[in-house]
Amino acid sequence: MNSPVLAPENSSGFPETLIKSNFSLKLWLIIAWAGFLILPWYAAYDGFWSFIWLTDGYPTFDEYSPGILQITMHQRWWLWPVALSLLVPLPALFLPRTDARHAAALLLGGGFGFGYMLFQGFVLGLHGWGWDFLGDLFGPTTLSQFGLGYGALLVCGGFLFIFTQGLAARGAIKGDIFVSGTIGLSIAMVTAFVFYPVGKILINSLKNDEGDYVFSLFLEKISSNNIWSLACLNSELNCGVAWNSLWMGVLVGVATTVLGLAFALLVTRTRMHAKGFVRTASLLPIITPPFVIGLALILLFGRAGAVNAFLEWAFDITPTRWIYGLTGILVAQILAFTPIAFLVLIGVVEGVSPSMEEAAQTLRASHWQTFWTVSLPLMRPGLANAFLLGFIESLADFGNPLILGGNYEVLSTQIFFAIAGAQGDLGMAAVLAIVLLMFTLSAFYAQRRWLGKKSYATVTGKGDSGMHVRLPKRVAWGAYLTAMPFIVLSLVVYGMILFGGFVETWGYKHNFTFKHYIDEFSIHWSEQYGIIWDGAAWNSFWTTLQISAISAPLTAGLGLLIAYILVRQKFWGKDVFEFLTMLSFAVPGTVIGVGYILAFNVPPIEITGTGVILVVCFIFRNMPTGIRAGIAAMSQLDPSLDEASLTLGARSFTTLRRVLLPLLRPAIIAALVFSFVRAMTAISAVIFLVSADYDMATSYILGRVEFGDYGLAIAYSSVLILVMLGAIALIQLAVGKRELGRRDSEALTI
């Protein structure tokens, strides 16, 4: 047998494939210098995507001048260190990568330049000093600057990647430029768009109404009886909001994980004929604004709902308000969040190696023993990630508790009322968000402890043409009996939703009409202007579609990249970084929305009121699902696949693109589907970030609900559901199906 051909190494220990030309370094130097010499240094006043600067005074007009002219023409002398930092890496172009001076030049130029860019951006703002204590030290100043524009962002990015190339040249991450740059970019973006806005609002927990830091006030708020009360143990009253939220989160996490596993087993391991229908029905709740599901449940099970009206007429059962409170929230959240667990688990269930199951059968294990001791343990990464996502989603959701909560108070609704209510207590909202983060961190730690350091890899470089072992009858029947009631309830709820769009007044006047669709989506033809989109909903519809289409691939791409570096790479602070990626998912959208306004309404990053802030919010709000799906799927891929590719001379980027991504198709579909539909249906953070130019569908629908126009809201929701079903089908068609080299066999079951 021939021995593997290893990539040759030189005396430095670096593989020759890594001692290559300075193409990457030259590229980032060109980008950074172009940003400094050519593009506007500051952001245009009418939006990040505006190109008005091309015809409005460029390059001499103050706001649109590139960095070099900001120094020479507009006396912004504090930008000189940026120019000097751009000169420092130039000698590295003429030094071999093995020379210590090569790495030193890149680290010094990139590190100092990136750090100084951030420092000067925060020191000076629109109205002088960015920090109050600087005014106390140096007195008032007339110096000012706007938010970063194209030029400054390119220079900042150039410095970052020059610095990460310096780290790679010093031997970090085995000298891999791509992995080093990916880690640097991920850390920088998560810090800027997750940690910074969350920290911005959490710091308000230490402030009083006058803006002074008072730690005793923080202790008083966080130990409030409203948060930690245990009165419910001795009476019928609710516990404190913390215990209510924790109990609800655990119940939802367990229920959604069990249901998600049942659907995954039915779709992948049974002979069920309607697999496509079951897959579609299981995903229906995820493509609906959450408050619409709540409204449908009220019209079904509310005191005057259709079910209660029938029970009273047929069996003389007095209607009650049982749907309001913990029960109603559980039903709504289980409906809404089960698809997330299903998307995470389906790839994991498919990835269980049939050869391992066949080995257990060869050793005379029964079908039940095989499933319980082999198949299920190999699904642990998926089960743990599905529970974590369901738990966090339950804690952060506020739409369903707002509509169905009744007297059952939870953290998310209390945070919303603290921000938007009459009290306007931003500090209390921050304290409640800290409590919520404590629960999230605890769940995250418990998940890591449960998984431990065991290997769950089942997909290796060897072909696996075995057949999955027949599911035990009790498991198959359990999956059917668990999933089918969910499907029936989903279809009834969606039947109510579709019905509501074609009646005059939902729940009152049920005469058939197209009025709602005509009002929202009417189109006229004019010989002078052509097609006229004169329906009231078209503006928000096209904006939502555009923002979602932009954010979905970016969300999935960044999420899977981060999953790759978390599973496959080792670096200092990895565990802390992994938790930071979950922050935006754990904190309610209301807190994220307010945090984005506080963080990005002033320099150095001014994007409030633009479409960019919506895209950024959706990327980092939905990114954790892509990360968890990627981690769950990648945990099943043997690292020897990467090592074999690298040994044969492929770079890390090529290995990721040609070897890993084709095996991660279920995770890619999960990330794309979830990020797209959540961008289409998000409401909590969007309420605070929409503007007149960028109105979103959910904020428009919520406005109709507040005015009592339920028919219009339901009609719009129905259109969104059809659009998202079409988008999901296109995503699945574009990504394709993972091929593992097995025979296309049917599972044997009942």
Side-chain angles (χ1 to χ4, degrees):
M1 183 175 64
N2 295 329
S3 58
V5 180
L6 300 178
E9 295 185 357
N10 66 4
S11 59
S12 68
F14 287 111
E16 289 294 343
T17 54
L18 299 179
I19 311 288
K20 55 185 183 300
S21 66
N22 286 328
F23 172 78
S24 179
L25 176 58
K26 292 176 183 177
L27 175 64
W28 285 110
L29 281 171
I30 291 172
I31 289 173
W33 275 104
F36 186 72
L37 298 176
I38 300 174
L39 295 176
W41 190 256
Y42 296 114
Y45 67 88
D46 56 344
F48 184 84
W49 299 116
S50 170
F51 294 95
I52 193 174
W53 53 273
L54 289 171
T55 57
D56 193 15
Y58 173 81
T60 57
F61 181 65
D62 183 2
E63 189 176 341
Y64 303 143
S65 294
I68 186 65
L69 295 186
Q70 294 291 346
I71 298 173
T72 57
M73 291 185 60
H74 304 296
Q75 290 74 52
R76 289 190 166 92
W77 48 265
W78 60 87
L79 296 180
W80 270 118
V82 177
L84 296 176
S85 298
L86 285 171
L87 295 173
V88 173
L90 293 179
L93 292 172
F94 308 99
L95 296 170
R97 193 180 175 196
T98 54
D99 193 320
R101 293 172 296 176
H102 176 96
L106 299 183
L107 291 172
L108 178 61
F112 178 80
F114 185 76
Y116 183 79
M117 284 285 295
L118 295 179
F119 173 76
Q120 65 87 30
F122 283 104
V123 165
L124 283 175
L126 289 171
H127 306 291
W129 299 117
W131 293 317
D132 294 336
F133 76 89
L134 293 175
D136 299 334
L137 287 176
F138 304 109
T141 179
T142 58
L143 301 176
S144 65
Q145 61 180 349
F146 309 102
L148 301 179
Y150 298 124
L153 290 176
L154 288 184
V155 171
C156 204
F159 280 139
L160 174 64
F161 285 107
I162 289 170
F163 178 74
T164 59
Q165 289 193 41
L167 290 176
R170 286 287 299 271
I173 318 295
K174 300 180 181 179
D176 196 310
I177 291 176
F178 169 72
V179 175
S180 179
T182 299
I183 293 174
L185 176 66
S186 302
I187 292 175
M189 295 189 73
V190 168
T191 302
F193 296 111
V194 177
F195 181 74
Y196 175 56
V198 170
K200 233 355 199 181
I201 193 168
L202 293 184
I203 203 170
N204 282 276
S205 64
L206 301 175
K207 290 183 177 181
N208 58 17
D209 294 337
E210 288 73 35
D212 300 322
Y213 293 95
V214 182
F215 188 71
S216 60
L217 182 62
F218 168 76
L219 292 177
E220 178 184 341
K221 289 181 177 180
I222 201 169
S223 59
S224 168
N225 196 51
N226 182 53
I227 298 177
W228 303 106
S229 172
L230 291 173
C232 58
L233 298 180
N234 301 316
S235 67
E236 295 182 358
L237 298 175
N238 288 327
C239 287
V241 291
W243 302 119
N244 287 347
S245 297
L246 181 61
W247 175 236
M248 182 181 69
V250 171
L251 290 177
V252 172
V254 171
T256 55
T257 302
V258 171
L259 276 165
L261 179 61
F263 277 112
L265 291 174
L266 286 180
V267 170
T268 61
R269 302 286 294 273
T270 71
R271 284 180 174 176
M272 177 186 287
H273 296 293
K275 291 183 179 180
F277 172 76
V278 171
R279 189 186 288 256
T280 302
S282 66
L283 292 176
L284 277 177
I286 204 175
I287 60 177
T288 308
F291 47 82
V292 176
I293 292 180
L295 286 174
L297 289 176
I298 290 173
L299 289 178
L300 274 174
F301 302 109
R303 187 157 187 168
V307 174
N308 277 340
F310 171 77
L311 292 176
E312 185 178 24
W313 171 78
F315 304 103
D316 198 25
I317 298 176
T318 304
T320 63
R321 296 172 56 85
W322 66 270
I323 194 65
Y324 298 99
L326 176 61
T327 306
I329 299 173
L330 279 177
V331 173
Q333 289 191 344
I334 290 171
L335 276 172
F337 304 142
T338 292
I340 301 173
F342 171 62
L343 288 172
V344 171
L345 284 167
I346 186 171
V348 175
V349 174
E350 286 178 341
V352 174
S353 173
S355 61
M356 292 189 178
E357 296 177 331
E358 290 179 348
Q361 294 278 279
T362 302
L363 295 173
R364 299 184 179 179
S366 66
H367 294 306
W368 171 253
Q369 289 174 322
T370 300
F371 178 81
W372 188 253
T373 61
V374 177
S375 305
L376 196 61
L378 290 173
M379 300 175 193
R380 286 178 73 171
L383 295 172
N385 283 290
F387 174 84
L388 183 64
L389 289 173
F391 179 81
I392 293 175
E393 278 278 19
S394 174
L395 291 182
D397 176 40
F398 99 100
N400 292 312
L402 190 66
I403 294 176
L404 295 168
N407 294 326
Y408 194 84
E409 298 178 344
V410 293
L411 285 167
S412 56
T413 54
Q414 291 302 298
I415 291 171
F416 174 73
F417 290 128
I419 294 174
Q423 55 184 319
D425 190 349
L426 202 60
M428 190 64 199
V431 168
L432 293 171
I434 290 176
V435 175
L436 194 149
L437 283 176
M438 289 168 50
F439 289 154
T440 304
L441 178 59
S442 300
F444 181 76
Y445 175 75
Q447 181 225 33
R448 296 293 297 272
R449 290 280 296 180
W450 188 59
L451 289 179
K453 297 183 179 180
K454 299 176 182 177
S455 173
Y456 299 94
T458 61
V459 180
T460 66
K462 301 177 181 179
D464 192 347
S465 58
M467 295 175 59
H468 280 298
V469 174
R470 177 171 62 88
L471 284 179
K473 287 188 176 182
R474 68 186 84 175
V475 175
W477 276 112
Y480 277 109
L481 295 176
T482 302
M484 290 307 164
F486 178 91
I487 293 176
V488 172
L489 182 58
S490 295
L491 293 177
V492 171
V493 168
Y494 280 88
M496 291 290 292
I497 291 174
L498 292 174
F499 171 75
F502 292 100
V503 296
E504 185 173 342
T505 305
W506 201 28
Y508 180 60
K509 291 184 179 180
H510 293 159
N511 48 304
F512 185 81
T513 180
F514 285 104
K515 177 179 181 297
H516 306 309
Y517 289 95
I518 294 173
D519 290 343
E520 299 295 300
F521 296 101
S522 59
I523 302 174
H524 289 162
W525 172 263
S526 170
E527 293 184 1
Q528 183 177 0
Y529 299 105
I531 298 177
I532 300 177
W533 310 85
D534 57 356
W538 282 119
N539 180 49
S540 61
F541 175 80
W542 291 123
T543 300
T544 302
L545 200 59
Q546 178 185 14
I547 296 295
S548 302
I550 293 173
S551 63
L554 296 176
T555 305
L558 184 60
L560 292 174
L561 263 182
I562 292 177
Y564 168 72
I565 64 177
L566 288 175
V567 174
R568 289 296 199 253
Q569 308 300 328
K570 295 181 180 180
F571 55 94
W572 182 83
K574 185 172 78 169
D575 290 341
V576 175
F577 173 67
E578 184 174 358
F579 174 68
L580 288 179
T581 61
M582 302 298 292
L583 270 180
S584 63
F585 206 51
V587 178
T590 49
V591 178
I592 290 291
V594 174
Y596 268 50
I597 291 173
L598 293 175
F600 305 128
N601 198 39
V602 293
I605 304 177
E606 287 184 273
I607 53 177
T608 302
T610 68
V612 175
I613 197 170
L614 292 169
V615 172
V616 170
C617 178
F618 288 143
I619 289 174
F620 292 94
R621 179 78 172 141
N622 301 325
M623 177 185 67
T625 297
I627 294 176
R628 304 324 299 181
I631 289 175
M634 212 171 296
S635 297
Q636 294 184 313
L637 305 182
D638 197 306
S640 62
L641 293 169
D642 310 37
E643 295 166 2
S645 177
L646 294 172
T647 300
L648 294 173
R651 290 177 290 179
S652 295
F653 177 72
T654 304
T655 300
L656 177 63
R657 181 173 60 89
R658 299 286 299 274
V659 178
L660 295 181
L661 283 183
L663 297 173
L664 292 174
R665 284 192 171 108
I668 295 172
I669 291 175
L672 283 173
V673 168
F674 182 83
S675 56
F676 180 81
V677 300
R678 285 304 294 266
M680 293 283 288
T681 61
I683 181 61
S684 52
V686 166
I687 292 176
F688 298 96
L689 301 179
V690 294
S691 62
D693 294 329
Y694 294 95
D695 190 18
M696 297 292 287
T698 47
S699 63
Y700 180 90
I701 292 172
L702 187 60
R704 301 281 65 80
V705 171
E706 290 176 345
F707 281 104
D709 297 332
Y710 297 134
L712 294 175
I714 294 302
Y716 199 165
S717 298
S718 302
V719 172
L720 290 182
I721 290 170
L722 294 177
V723 169
M724 285 183 280
L725 283 175
I728 291 172
L730 287 176
I731 289 172
Q732 292 177 332
L733 182 64
V735 175
K737 187 177 181 181
R738 177 172 64 178
E739 298 292 342
L740 296 176
R742 299 175 185 152
R743 293 192 299 268
D744 187 14
S745 57
E746 291 184 337
L748 297 175
T749 187
I750 55 173

